[in-house]
């Protein structure tokens, strides 16, 4: 179901939005009256996705791993509709397996898309917003920003890094009128999560995450976990003695080394991690 919140006329840019979570976010924002810019590595797919949305939407080429591409994306959106009111950093990739079996290429790809892509987006968009005295950057991260599933070591490192980076920049932007939010879902039903275990929680849909993003834009707050109880639960568990904390985490957090179906992930990982494709969007724990 679409959101009942309204963003009439607001310019909102979403990265990695030609499919998956990004497209679900774009759709709910368009239904709420926003002018939605879909950024995707494949400009044709971005345009095709935009054509499926109600209201005002357009597709733009975007490679979040290239600064000139990200700058051109923001410039193009601004030239079409005016300043970007909200940037949603959504593009992400994930490799799953034993830490010592991860290739250098897979490691670099996750760092460049998941972490540096977010840093790049904030560094390029926030100063423009600060000059105007208003703006909002929402980053779709993961529950792996707070937890660390075995089998997702580098992915978790990138999401921990995103949370730390945004926490620091938030303080630098305090009083500027620019707000930051980080949305942290558990496992979402997208190609990124193919073959992985959800552990003790139910599989989320892209629409679940989109609703959380829309809610964070409507009522800005820094930390948003999906489901909502995950954040308070993680904080509560973190204060337990180490031995007890480890036991509880083993019940909460799936061990993807043991539980993931690697055959189900082969196609996704070949596409997302061995080619120049950063927009297999989604977030998982």
């Amino acid at each position: 179901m679409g959101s009942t919140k309204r963003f009439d006329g607001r310019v909102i840019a979403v990265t990695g939005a030609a499919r998956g979570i990004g497209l679900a976010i774009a759709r709910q924002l368009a239904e709420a009256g926003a002018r939605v810019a879909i950024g995707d590595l494949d400009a044709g797919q971005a345009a095709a996705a935009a054509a499926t949305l109600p209201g005002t939407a357009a597709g733009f080429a975007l490679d979040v791993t290239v600064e000139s591409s990200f700058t051109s994306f923001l410039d193009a959106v601004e030239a079409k509709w005016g300043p970007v009111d909200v940037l949603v950093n959504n593009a992400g990739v994930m490799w799953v397996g034993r830490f010592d079996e991860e290739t250098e290429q897979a490691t670099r790809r996750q760092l460049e898309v998941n972490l540096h892509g977010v840093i790049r987006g904030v560094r390029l968009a926030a100063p423009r917003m600060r000059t105007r005295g208003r703006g909002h950057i929402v980053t779709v991260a993961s529950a792996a920003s707070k937890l660390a599933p075995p089998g997702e070591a580098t992915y978790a490192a990138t999401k921990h890094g995103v949370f730390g980076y945004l926490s620091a920049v938030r303080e630098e932007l305090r009083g500027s009128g620019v707000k930051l939010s980080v949305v942290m879902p558990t496992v979402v039903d997208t190609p990124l999560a193919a073959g992985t275990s959800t552990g003790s929680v139910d599989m989320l849909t892209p629409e679940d995450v989109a609703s959380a993003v829309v809610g964070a834009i409507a009522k800005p707050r820094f930390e948003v976990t999906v489901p909502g109880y995950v954040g308070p639960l993680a904080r509560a568990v973190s204060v337990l003695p180490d031995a007890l904390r480890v036991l509880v985490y083993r019940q909460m957090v799936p061990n993807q080394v043991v539980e993931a179906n690697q055959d189900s992930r082969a196609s996704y990982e070949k596409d997302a991690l061995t080619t120049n494709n950063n927009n297999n969007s989604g977030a998982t724990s």
Side-chain angles (χ1 to χ4, degrees), residues 5-252:
K5 301 175 178 67
R6 299 302 302 174
F7 304 111
D8 294 315
R10 297 179 72 179
V11 178
I12 304 182
V14 188
T15 75
R19 61 189 70 79
I21 292 173
L23 183 55
I25 293 168
R27 184 173 303 281
Q28 290 192 19
L29 291 170
E31 289 172 349
R35 291 177 287 181
V36 180
I38 289 180
D40 195 274
L41 194 65
D42 187 320
Q45 288 185 2
T52 70
L53 302 183
T56 304
F60 300 84
L62 170 63
D63 184 344
V64 301
T65 71
V66 178
E67 182 156 343
S68 59
S69 177
F70 217 134
T71 299
S72 295
F73 170 63
L74 295 173
D75 287 345
V77 176
E78 188 167 326
K80 186 174 184 65
W81 291 319
V84 174
D85 295 301
V86 182
L87 171 66
V88 181
N89 284 316
N90 169 72
V93 295
M94 182 172 73
W95 185 88
V96 173
R98 297 181 183 277
F99 75 92
D100 53 351
E101 295 178 357
E102 182 177 276
T103 66
E104 178 69 13
Q105 183 178 33
T107 302
R108 287 182 179 275
R109 190 70 181 150
Q110 291 172 93
L111 289 167
E112 187 58 28
V113 176
N114 300 355
L115 179 55
H116 199 177
V118 170
I119 292 172
R120 183 174 288 112
V122 173
R123 180 164 44 77
L124 293 174
R128 302 181 188 214
M129 295 175 176
R130 183 172 54 194
T131 297
R132 301 192 305 271
R134 59 180 175 81
H136 193 178
I137 299 174
V138 180
T139 297
V140 179
S142 168
S145 297
K146 297 296 187 71
L147 307 172
E152 297 178 8
T154 298
Y155 181 78
T158 65
K159 299 303 182 178
H160 275 64
V162 163
F163 186 85
Y165 177 79
L166 294 174
S167 297
V169 174
R170 180 192 186 201
E171 287 304 308
E172 295 189 41
L173 291 172
R174 188 173 296 279
S176 70
V178 182
K179 300 177 177 65
L180 299 182
S181 297
V182 55
V183 176
M184 297 171 283
T186 54
V187 185
V188 186
D189 188 11
T190 67
L192 180 147
T196 61
S197 170
T198 64
S200 61
V201 299
D202 292 334
M203 179 79 78
L204 298 173
T205 67
E207 290 71 25
D208 293 328
V209 183
S211 294
V213 170
V214 169
I217 295 172
K219 186 178 180 180
R221 53 201 185 279
F222 181 60
E223 293 188 42
V224 179
T225 56
V226 191
Y229 66 79
V230 170
L233 180 59
R235 286 192 292 273
V237 174
S238 70
V239 302
L240 296 174
D242 182 66
L244 181 56
R245 182 170 63 249
V246 169
L247 289 175
V248 174
Y249 276 148
R250 284 176 179 166
Q251 298 300 313
M252 291 173 53

